[in-house]
Short mmCIF file of all heavy atoms in Angstrom, two decimals:
data_model
loop_
_atom_site.label_atom_id
_atom_site.label_comp_id
_atom_site.label_asym_id
_atom_site.label_seq_id
_atom_site.Cartn_x
_atom_site.Cartn_y
_atom_site.Cartn_z
N GLY A 249 -5.67 9.78 -5.10
CA GLY A 249 -5.73 9.17 -3.78
C GLY A 249 -6.75 8.05 -3.74
O GLY A 249 -6.52 6.99 -3.14
N TYR A 250 -7.88 8.26 -4.44
CA TYR A 250 -8.90 7.21 -4.50
C TYR A 250 -8.36 5.98 -5.24
O TYR A 250 -8.58 4.85 -4.82
CB TYR A 250 -10.14 7.73 -5.21
CG TYR A 250 -11.27 6.72 -5.25
CD1 TYR A 250 -12.29 6.76 -4.30
CD2 TYR A 250 -11.30 5.70 -6.21
CE1 TYR A 250 -13.31 5.82 -4.31
CE2 TYR A 250 -12.32 4.75 -6.22
CZ TYR A 250 -13.32 4.83 -5.28
OH TYR A 250 -14.32 3.88 -5.28
N THR A 251 -7.66 6.20 -6.35
CA THR A 251 -7.16 5.07 -7.14
C THR A 251 -6.11 4.25 -6.40
O THR A 251 -5.96 3.05 -6.67
CB THR A 251 -6.54 5.56 -8.47
OG1 THR A 251 -5.38 6.38 -8.21
CG2 THR A 251 -7.55 6.35 -9.29
N ILE A 252 -5.40 4.88 -5.49
CA ILE A 252 -4.34 4.15 -4.78
C ILE A 252 -4.87 3.41 -3.56
O ILE A 252 -4.22 2.50 -3.05
CB ILE A 252 -3.21 5.12 -4.37
CG1 ILE A 252 -1.87 4.39 -4.33
CG2 ILE A 252 -3.48 5.77 -3.03
CD1 ILE A 252 -0.69 5.31 -4.19
N GLY A 253 -6.07 3.78 -3.09
CA GLY A 253 -6.67 3.13 -1.93
C GLY A 253 -6.85 1.63 -2.11
O GLY A 253 -6.40 0.84 -1.26
N PRO A 254 -7.50 1.17 -3.20
CA PRO A 254 -7.67 -0.28 -3.41
C PRO A 254 -6.34 -1.02 -3.54
O PRO A 254 -6.22 -2.17 -3.11
CB PRO A 254 -8.46 -0.34 -4.73
CG PRO A 254 -9.19 0.96 -4.79
CD PRO A 254 -8.25 1.96 -4.19
N LEU A 255 -5.34 -0.36 -4.12
CA LEU A 255 -4.01 -0.97 -4.24
C LEU A 255 -3.40 -1.21 -2.86
O LEU A 255 -2.86 -2.29 -2.58
CB LEU A 255 -3.10 -0.07 -5.08
CG LEU A 255 -1.66 -0.55 -5.27
CD1 LEU A 255 -1.63 -1.88 -6.01
CD2 LEU A 255 -0.85 0.50 -6.03
N ILE A 256 -3.50 -0.21 -2.01
CA ILE A 256 -2.99 -0.36 -0.64
C ILE A 256 -3.75 -1.46 0.10
O ILE A 256 -3.16 -2.25 0.85
CB ILE A 256 -3.10 0.98 0.12
CG1 ILE A 256 -2.13 2.01 -0.48
CG2 ILE A 256 -2.81 0.78 1.61
CD1 ILE A 256 -2.24 3.38 0.13
N ASN A 257 -5.06 -1.53 -0.14
CA ASN A 257 -5.88 -2.55 0.51
C ASN A 257 -5.42 -3.96 0.14
O ASN A 257 -5.44 -4.87 0.97
CB ASN A 257 -7.35 -2.38 0.12
CG ASN A 257 -8.19 -1.90 1.30
OD1 ASN A 257 -7.77 -2.04 2.45
ND2 ASN A 257 -9.35 -1.35 1.02
N ARG A 258 -5.00 -4.14 -1.12
CA ARG A 258 -4.54 -5.46 -1.54
C ARG A 258 -3.26 -5.86 -0.79
O ARG A 258 -3.11 -7.02 -0.40
CB ARG A 258 -4.29 -5.47 -3.06
CG ARG A 258 -5.56 -5.46 -3.88
CD ARG A 258 -5.31 -5.98 -5.28
NE ARG A 258 -4.46 -5.08 -6.05
CZ ARG A 258 -4.90 -4.08 -6.79
NH1 ARG A 258 -6.22 -3.82 -6.84
NH2 ARG A 258 -4.07 -3.33 -7.49
N TYR A 259 -2.38 -4.89 -0.59
CA TYR A 259 -1.15 -5.18 0.14
C TYR A 259 -1.44 -5.45 1.62
O TYR A 259 -0.85 -6.34 2.23
CB TYR A 259 -0.15 -4.03 -0.01
CG TYR A 259 0.57 -4.04 -1.33
CD1 TYR A 259 0.04 -3.40 -2.44
CD2 TYR A 259 1.78 -4.71 -1.48
CE1 TYR A 259 0.70 -3.41 -3.66
CE2 TYR A 259 2.45 -4.73 -2.69
CZ TYR A 259 1.90 -4.09 -3.78
OH TYR A 259 2.55 -4.12 -4.98
N LEU A 260 -2.34 -4.66 2.19
CA LEU A 260 -2.70 -4.86 3.59
C LEU A 260 -3.38 -6.21 3.77
O LEU A 260 -3.13 -6.93 4.75
CB LEU A 260 -3.62 -3.74 4.07
CG LEU A 260 -3.01 -2.33 4.13
CD1 LEU A 260 -4.05 -1.31 4.57
CD2 LEU A 260 -1.80 -2.30 5.06
N GLY A 261 -4.25 -6.57 2.82
CA GLY A 261 -4.95 -7.84 2.89
C GLY A 261 -4.02 -9.03 2.77
O GLY A 261 -4.31 -10.12 3.29
N ALA A 262 -2.89 -8.82 2.10
CA ALA A 262 -1.91 -9.89 1.93
C ALA A 262 -0.88 -9.90 3.06
O ALA A 262 0.11 -10.64 3.00
CB ALA A 262 -1.20 -9.75 0.59
N GLY A 263 -1.11 -9.07 4.06
CA GLY A 263 -0.18 -9.01 5.19
C GLY A 263 1.11 -8.29 4.87
O GLY A 263 2.16 -8.58 5.47
N MET A 264 1.07 -7.36 3.92
CA MET A 264 2.27 -6.63 3.50
C MET A 264 2.21 -5.16 3.90
O MET A 264 2.62 -4.27 3.15
CB MET A 264 2.44 -6.73 1.97
CG MET A 264 2.67 -8.14 1.46
SD MET A 264 2.90 -8.17 -0.34
CE MET A 264 3.25 -9.90 -0.62
N GLY A 265 1.70 -4.91 5.09
CA GLY A 265 1.63 -3.53 5.55
C GLY A 265 2.99 -2.89 5.69
O GLY A 265 3.14 -1.67 5.49
N ASP A 266 4.01 -3.70 6.01
CA ASP A 266 5.36 -3.17 6.14
C ASP A 266 5.88 -2.65 4.81
O ASP A 266 6.66 -1.70 4.76
CB ASP A 266 6.30 -4.23 6.69
CG ASP A 266 6.31 -5.50 5.85
OD1 ASP A 266 5.27 -5.83 5.26
OD2 ASP A 266 7.35 -6.17 5.81
N ILE A 267 5.44 -3.27 3.71
CA ILE A 267 5.87 -2.84 2.39
C ILE A 267 5.28 -1.47 2.05
O ILE A 267 5.94 -0.62 1.44
CB ILE A 267 5.47 -3.88 1.32
CG1 ILE A 267 6.38 -5.10 1.46
CG2 ILE A 267 5.54 -3.32 -0.09
CD1 ILE A 267 6.08 -6.21 0.49
N VAL A 268 4.03 -1.25 2.46
CA VAL A 268 3.39 0.06 2.25
C VAL A 268 4.16 1.15 2.98
O VAL A 268 4.42 2.22 2.44
CB VAL A 268 1.92 0.03 2.72
CG1 VAL A 268 1.29 1.42 2.59
CG2 VAL A 268 1.12 -0.99 1.91
N VAL A 269 4.55 0.85 4.22
CA VAL A 269 5.33 1.81 5.02
C VAL A 269 6.68 2.08 4.37
O VAL A 269 7.14 3.23 4.29
CB VAL A 269 5.51 1.29 6.46
CG1 VAL A 269 6.43 2.22 7.25
CG2 VAL A 269 4.16 1.17 7.15
N MET A 270 7.34 1.01 3.91
CA MET A 270 8.65 1.16 3.27
C MET A 270 8.54 1.98 1.98
O MET A 270 9.41 2.82 1.70
CB MET A 270 9.24 -0.22 2.98
CG MET A 270 9.70 -0.98 4.21
SD MET A 270 10.20 -2.68 3.83
CE MET A 270 11.60 -2.37 2.74
N ALA A 271 7.49 1.74 1.21
CA ALA A 271 7.30 2.48 -0.04
C ALA A 271 7.06 3.97 0.25
O ALA A 271 7.58 4.84 -0.45
CB ALA A 271 6.13 1.90 -0.83
N PHE A 272 6.27 4.24 1.28
CA PHE A 272 6.02 5.63 1.68
C PHE A 272 7.30 6.31 2.12
O PHE A 272 7.60 7.44 1.72
CB PHE A 272 4.98 5.68 2.80
CG PHE A 272 4.74 7.05 3.35
CD1 PHE A 272 3.94 7.95 2.67
CD2 PHE A 272 5.35 7.46 4.53
CE1 PHE A 272 3.73 9.24 3.17
CE2 PHE A 272 5.15 8.73 5.04
CZ PHE A 272 4.33 9.62 4.35
N ALA A 273 8.07 5.62 2.96
CA ALA A 273 9.33 6.18 3.46
C ALA A 273 10.31 6.41 2.32
O ALA A 273 11.01 7.43 2.26
CB ALA A 273 9.94 5.26 4.51
N GLY A 274 10.38 5.45 1.40
CA GLY A 274 11.27 5.59 0.25
C GLY A 274 10.89 6.75 -0.65
O GLY A 274 11.76 7.47 -1.15
N THR A 275 9.59 6.94 -0.83
CA THR A 275 9.11 8.07 -1.65
C THR A 275 9.46 9.40 -1.00
O THR A 275 9.93 10.33 -1.66
CB THR A 275 7.58 7.97 -1.84
OG1 THR A 275 7.27 6.71 -2.45
CG2 THR A 275 7.08 9.09 -2.73
#
């Protein structure tokens, strides 16, 4: 969970929060 936090932050910082949601839903 710690290792995935910075990865999610990069997507959020790039304005790709919708992609994080889609990846979660797909999983």
Side-chain angles (χ1 to χ4, degrees):
Y250 183 97
T251 64
I252 209 169
L255 178 62
I256 292 176
N257 250 341
R258 287 201 293 271
Y259 281 89
L260 294 178
M264 297 181 176
D266 56 329
I267 287 179
V268 176
V269 174
M270 289 173 63
F272 175 79
T275 302

